[in-house]
Amino acid sequence: MSPPANVHVNGTDYRWPLRPVVVVCIDGGDPRYLKQFLADGSIPHIARCVREGYGAVAEGSMPSFTCPNNMSIITGTPASINDRDVPQTEA
């Protein structure tokens, strides 16, 4: 059985990937550090993933809580929908 051409999730249609996909989230790191370490060769395995695959910096939800941000990555929905059970701090 072949996979579907598209998949519909949370009101959005996505093209089914042609090959396996892995998503790596580096949580809590300033993008400037990642850029520096990529440039100086300190993280060769991540550099290879970026070079041979894809690398990007995502805009996180505010306030920055790991759980809602990761849920947004996994579900494709904003934190306003998926963070109902996460304690909120007062500004």
Side-chain angles (χ1 to χ4, degrees):
M1 184 172 156
S2 61
N6 294 303
V7 60
H8 185 80
V9 179
N10 296 317
T12 302
D13 288 312
Y14 298 95
R15 180 183 53 82
W16 194 265
L18 300 175
R19 59 185 182 180
V21 174
V22 175
V23 175
V24 177
C25 175
I26 300 174
D27 188 23
D30 188 313
R32 293 174 294 186
Y33 295 135
L34 182 61
K35 188 174 184 177
Q36 174 187 336
F37 295 141
L38 286 169
D40 71 17
S42 298
I43 48 176
H45 298 294
I46 294 173
R48 190 179 113 220
C49 290
V50 171
R51 186 175 59 252
E52 296 178 12
Y54 177 77
V57 175
E59 185 176 317
S61 300
M62 295 307 276
S64 181
F65 289 115
T66 296
C67 184
N69 279 315
N70 288 345
M71 290 298 292
S72 293
I73 292 168
I74 294 167
T75 65
T77 59
S80 60
I81 291 174
N82 66 44
D83 72 347
R84 294 184 186 115
D85 295 327
V86 176
Q88 300 296 311
T89 60
E90 293 184 26

